[in-house]
Amino acid sequence: MKSFFSSKEHDNSLQATINAYFDLVCKHSSIIQKTIAEHGETPIAEYIANYHLPIGNGYQKKDDFFEVVYDYLLPIHGESIARRTVTDLSGTPVVLTANHHGVDFFAQSVQGTFLFSLILSSANPAQSTIPVIACANVPLNNLTFPRGMLLYHTAKNDCAVMPQKIPIFSDKFKTSYVSLIGPIDKDQIKRTVTRIGKLVTQGDLLPEYGDVLHDILETDYSQTVSQGWQSYSEQSVVLNHRLWNRMFATSDVPMDLIYMDLEAIASRLLIKDLADASSLIYKLMFDPDIAQNLISNLDCAPACWQGKKLHRRLIEDCSNNDVKRALGNCGTHFFWGVGLKNKLVPMVIEGRASGQPQLKGKDERGNVYTLAFDPLSIIDALKDGHLLPSLFTCYTSISIARGIGCIGGYYQSEYLPCMQQAVVKVLNKHASMKKICNQTENIPTGCYLSGMQTVMTKAGENNLIPAGPIEIIGRGGLNNEDFSKIKRLTIKEAHLSSLFETIPDIIPFPERNSTWHQDIPMCCNALLEDKIPLV
């Protein structure tokens, strides 16, 4: 790869360190490599002004998507925001799908959302909302930590343990899913406030950040408890909107941040589509030839399913740790089953040859779940919360069928085009599907907006690390001077500032240099201290 910074700017050892880390990242992410190669020297102001929004016309109309979005948002945000969101989507039918759902304190996704907002406002100055459809089939303890809060500027400036995790949900819920767990309650808030007080007393949390956390919990979180939300997913929609408003120094917040639950939106669309034999998802699932070809074509594809593992789960002891490891990451055929204690169960389609196909799965306790694989049974199961759509099913209903632009992260930019190509390949074998095939093939699916950050914070004298919402709010929010600095940064500088979170996300542990926690903050400080907004 071309040198990240030239030796004229900085000493050779620094240049070599940066290039080694970027070579490693680009080895594992072709989209990051492509973006830096094509746009690395481009200032963010120019990048956002020329960003090609993925707008296409799918086989199905977008109107029912707009209707679902309105109906989803109305009881959460009220009529004004629901209406404005749909108006914006009607003019610019593009959503950010790079983020995980839950209350977002993860610097990379929060700052990616900010860049998305700049792109939207550049494309349409009248835009008033930022639509984010976030995957909710994620455990509370995943990298973005929807289980609680993340603090980047820690009391002891130890980069090896950053960010500091402040859990709200107790440890017993850490493997629960955002899509399925109940809301945070007043007792959890009270325990977290007590824990924060102890951390400050012990010197493990800076008092100024303790005050910010305390205020957010007592004001924003407590307000959502009194509103009586029935799920953490809904509660997160409200809290992300409130936290976003705190992140700007001006009282005139640029746009409203509108989070939506990916699986909830897709489920509502599927209830419509599965009742319509002309819909794309109906044809893909229930035309026997098309369905079998699709299952074969996407077997072992990223973010889809592994048929051999799914079938083995039905006959092997899934409570055995060795078996669990061997059969892990198997995906699921179109839908996840929702088992006991709200655990997701991988499902496999069996019995097609007999003419009575079933979705069948087995959980880790040996409980077997079966459901007739027919439209009415699936519709009922979606309504009752017994099934949740897989990533393939979600993106097929939203993006591939309707042409809603989905701007994702470094993983989605690779797996969504693979899904689309498989659908096109299967449809192309049937003369009656040629028109649908052509419309599906023209949907733009490889769009990327992740792995970039534009605001950092000091960790001691010689280190810079990403800044999350707590740091930004603690500083009083972003101001116009910060916006000007952000727009002058280049795309490669924005990727550099995010390496602290990109590396643990995409680089396998054995390939990481043991000193990467120290190297990256030091390099960021040397290269970006005078360029990037600091909070």
Side-chain angles (χ1 to χ4, degrees):
M1 181 180 175
K2 181 182 176 182
S3 294
F4 191 72
F5 288 96
S6 69
S7 57
K8 292 180 181 179
E9 292 175 288
H10 297 282
D11 65 77
N12 289 334
S13 62
L14 187 64
Q15 177 185 330
T17 299
I18 286 297
N19 288 335
Y21 282 111
F22 267 93
D23 285 344
L24 185 59
V25 166
C26 292
K27 170 187 170 185
H28 287 275
S29 176
S30 59
I31 190 64
I32 292 179
Q33 182 180 36
K34 181 175 183 288
T35 301
I36 293 176
E38 294 179 357
H39 305 288
E41 303 296 334
T42 305
I44 283 177
E46 181 181 337
Y47 183 76
I48 62 178
N50 296 315
Y51 191 91
H52 183 67
L53 289 169
I55 298 175
N57 291 314
Y59 161 62
Q60 293 175 239
K61 293 181 179 180
K62 298 179 175 68
D63 292 353
D64 47 5
F65 172 77
F66 302 146
E67 181 183 327
V68 162
V69 167
Y70 182 85
D71 289 344
Y72 174 85
L73 292 176
L74 182 61
I76 300 176
H77 279 310
E79 197 275 337
S80 175
I81 285 181
R83 175 177 44 78
R84 286 193 286 111
T85 303
V86 169
T87 298
D88 288 342
L89 284 169
S90 299
T92 308
V94 175
V95 296
L96 183 66
T97 50
N99 300 354
H100 286 171
H101 198 29
V103 186
D104 193 8
F105 290 94
F106 189 58
Q108 188 176 87
S109 54
V110 170
Q111 296 199 37
T113 301
F114 176 68
L115 289 176
F116 181 56
S117 75
L118 295 179
I119 291 170
L120 289 177
S121 60
S122 175
N124 176 18
Q127 182 99 11
S128 68
T129 62
I130 310 158
V132 177
I133 298 185
C135 178
N137 280 356
V138 292
L140 295 179
N141 227 29
N142 80 79
L143 182 69
T144 64
F145 201 64
R147 182 183 162 196
M149 302 162 143
L150 293 175
L151 183 67
Y152 289 80
H153 193 149
T154 62
K156 296 178 181 178
N157 290 322
D158 184 356
C159 295
V161 296
M162 292 177 183
Q164 184 177 1
K165 296 178 178 179
I166 312 290
I168 298 176
F169 286 98
S170 68
D171 192 63
K172 68 180 179 180
F173 294 116
K174 66 183 179 183
T175 59
S176 298
Y177 293 88
V178 172
S179 56
L180 298 172
I181 196 165
I184 293 168
D185 60 33
K186 62 181 181 180
D187 290 334
Q188 290 169 309
I189 293 172
K190 184 177 179 180
R191 286 194 294 270
T192 306
V193 168
T194 300
R195 184 182 301 115
I196 288 168
K198 289 180 179 177
L199 289 171
V200 171
T201 301
Q202 295 165 359
D204 294 324
L205 180 64
L206 293 172
E208 56 266 38
Y209 291 120
D211 291 342
V212 174
L213 291 169
H214 186 275
D215 183 47
I216 288 172
L217 287 164
E218 293 285 17
T219 304
D220 300 304
Y221 278 77
S222 293
Q223 179 68 31
T224 64
V225 170
S226 67
Q227 290 170 337
W229 301 111
Q230 297 301 302
S231 70
Y232 178 53
S233 175
E234 292 176 326
Q235 191 178 37
S236 296
V237 173
V238 177
L239 283 167
N240 283 328
H241 181 261
R242 293 177 70 103
L243 290 174
W244 179 261
N245 291 344
R246 283 176 171 258
M247 286 176 54
F248 299 93
T250 172
S251 59
D252 184 20
V253 177
M255 291 188 279
D256 285 303
L257 176 59
I258 310 301
Y259 257 71
M260 291 172 271
D261 179 321
L262 172 66
E263 288 76 12
I265 295 293
S267 292
R268 295 181 185 211
L269 282 174
L270 289 163
I271 289 168
K272 294 174 178 286
D273 286 352
L274 293 173
D276 178 6
S278 68
S279 71
L280 178 60
I281 203 75
Y282 191 104
K283 295 176 187 296
L284 294 176
M285 288 186 184
F286 297 111
D287 181 298
D289 293 336
I290 291 176
Q292 192 53 53
N293 285 335
L294 182 67
I295 288 172
S296 297
N297 272 278
L298 285 175
D299 194 57
C300 296
C304 290
W305 48 76
Q306 297 185 47
K308 289 183 178 179
K309 285 186 177 182
L310 286 171
H311 285 287
R312 282 181 59 195
R313 283 183 60 90
L314 297 180
I315 59 175
E316 300 208 22
D317 179 9
C318 294
S319 65
N320 180 285
N321 286 332
D322 291 335
V323 172
K324 279 195 285 188
R325 281 191 291 270
L327 301 183
N329 300 316
C330 58
T332 191
H333 279 169
F334 301 136
F335 298 94
W336 295 96
V338 179
L340 296 175
K341 296 186 177 180
N342 284 336
K343 298 296 183 183
L344 294 185
V345 181
M347 306 295 281
V348 60
I349 299 174
E350 289 203 325
R352 280 195 181 276
S354 69
Q356 294 182 319
Q358 288 185 322
L359 276 174
K360 192 171 184 179
K362 186 170 71 172
D363 67 19
E364 293 177 357
R365 297 189 176 195
N367 299 299
V368 176
Y369 303 83
T370 60
L371 180 75
F373 190 68
D374 64 67
L376 291 179
S377 297
I378 293 172
I379 288 171
D380 288 342
L382 288 169
K383 288 180 177 178
D384 294 339
H386 296 149
L387 286 181
L388 285 173
S390 69
L391 284 178
F392 169 80
T393 306
C394 288
Y395 284 116
T396 298
S397 64
I398 294 171
S399 173
I400 297 174
R402 291 176 167 83
I404 301 299
C406 293
I407 300 179
Y410 23 75
Y411 292 118
Q412 183 194 301
S413 63
E414 295 181 0
Y415 69 65
L416 186 52
C418 289
M419 293 174 179
Q420 178 189 29
Q421 290 160 18
V423 170
V424 169
K425 181 179 179 181
V426 169
L427 294 176
N428 202 37
K429 294 179 180 180
H430 301 265
S432 62
M433 301 290 176
K434 289 294 184 183
K435 182 179 178 181
I436 301 175
C437 182
N438 291 336
Q439 290 171 308
T440 302
E441 189 173 23
N442 291 327
I443 300 298
T445 55
C447 298
Y448 159 81
L449 188 67
S450 187
M452 291 181 274
Q453 299 194 47
T454 57
V455 184
M456 304 193 81
T457 189
K458 276 280 192 179
E461 283 298 312
N462 300 312
N463 296 309
L464 283 185
I465 58 169
I470 300 302
E471 288 74 25
I472 294 171
I473 293 168
R475 204 284 301 267
L478 300 176
N479 56 40
N480 290 332
E481 182 181 350
D482 296 325
F483 299 154
S484 297
K485 275 190 169 184
I486 286 168
K487 292 178 180 180
R488 290 195 294 268
L489 290 170
T490 66
I491 293 302
K492 67 182 180 183
E493 289 169 339
H495 277 88
L496 170 61
S497 68
S498 200
L499 277 186
F500 192 79
E501 293 188 314
T502 303
I503 286 173
D505 194 13
I506 69 173
I507 307 300
F509 185 80
E511 295 186 44
R512 300 177 206 166
N513 189 313
S514 61
T515 61
W516 76 267
H517 287 99
Q518 289 75 43
D519 296 341
I520 298 301
M522 177 193 67
C523 290
C524 286
N525 188 71
L527 298 169
L528 300 175
E529 184 181 20
D530 297 328
K531 297 181 177 182
I532 199 164
L534 300 179
V535 296

